[in-house]
Amino acid sequence: MTWKRGDSEETTWEEISFILADVCKSNHRIVVGSDSQPFRSGVVVVTAICLISSEKCHHRRFFYHRKKERATHKMSLYERLYSETMASIEVAEEIKGINSTASIEIHLDVSPANSRHKTSKYANAMTSLVRGYAYSEVEIKPNSWGASSVADKYTKNW
């Protein structure tokens, strides 16, 4: 899997792991969020890892990767949201493997359950899925900037 830094330069998971281990030694927050964009024969899913740290060398930075998923059918909105949510959980689990005490927040690109947006009917299901994996820090729109801003930026230009 190819990862990129915020400046779009390629990096490795090993380098990211080293940085994550270092960040976890200080006061930190790690935000993981995913977004997707459908295209003719599938969907592009982008997952971002955003670091907020008191360490000056890692103060604020992010990494992302794109994955093109081919589909034999047009994915429903639920399938796309589930795919985004699971992509974030999988990355969060890898981060927990590096440091089990890492402070991880998962950001979902879904609207609140009481709104009129199409994704709102899946808000409870997706947040429950994340909490089922023992991640209590879950944000949805308008506070889910890791998914709805950072990851979203890289879904548009494949």
Side-chain angles (χ1 to χ4, degrees):
M1 178 179 320
T2 303
W3 284 87
K4 293 189 177 188
R5 299 187 310 241
D7 60 6
S8 295
E9 292 294 319
E10 284 192 14
T11 188
T12 63
W13 180 252
E14 289 76 26
E15 182 181 339
I16 295 169
S17 298
F18 178 77
I19 293 167
L20 287 167
D22 198 35
V23 163
C24 289
K25 294 176 187 172
S26 64
N27 184 22
H28 72 283
R29 217 168 106 205
I30 300 170
V31 173
V32 179
S34 298
D35 193 19
S36 64
Q37 182 72 35
F39 63 97
R40 264 183 259 123
S41 59
V43 66
V44 172
V45 178
V46 175
T47 301
I49 302 171
C50 307
L51 308 177
I52 302 169
S53 171
S54 60
E55 290 292 315
K56 285 192 181 220
C57 59
H58 303 303
H59 186 57
R60 296 187 190 283
R61 61 193 323 186
F62 70 93
F63 306 93
Y64 68 94
H65 79 84
R66 291 183 186 136
K67 182 171 67 173
K68 192 183 257 189
E69 296 180 1
R70 298 249 177 238
T72 56
H73 65 285
K74 184 177 178 187
M75 291 177 78
S76 69
L77 181 58
Y78 175 83
E79 288 173 310
R80 282 185 40 219
L81 292 173
Y82 180 81
S83 182
E84 292 173 17
T85 302
M86 287 308 298
S88 293
I89 290 170
E90 288 166 9
V91 169
E93 290 289 297
E94 291 205 31
I95 294 169
K96 283 286 188 184
I98 295 165
N99 185 321
S100 62
T101 62
S103 176
I104 301 173
E105 241 176 69
I106 295 185
H107 287 194
L108 303 176
D109 194 28
V110 296
S111 299
N114 60 354
S115 77
R116 293 183 178 172
H117 295 94
K118 291 178 183 179
T119 60
S120 66
K121 64 182 170 183
Y122 305 116
N124 291 335
M126 296 305 139
T127 56
S128 295
L129 178 60
V130 171
R131 289 189 177 111
Y133 277 86
Y135 294 98
S136 58
E137 299 296 322
V138 184
E139 292 289 346
I140 61 173
K141 289 179 180 179
N143 302 320
S144 61
W145 53 267
S148 55
S149 291
V150 179
D152 175 74
K153 178 180 178 177
Y154 297 97
T155 62
K156 306 302 183 222
N157 301 324
W158 177 252

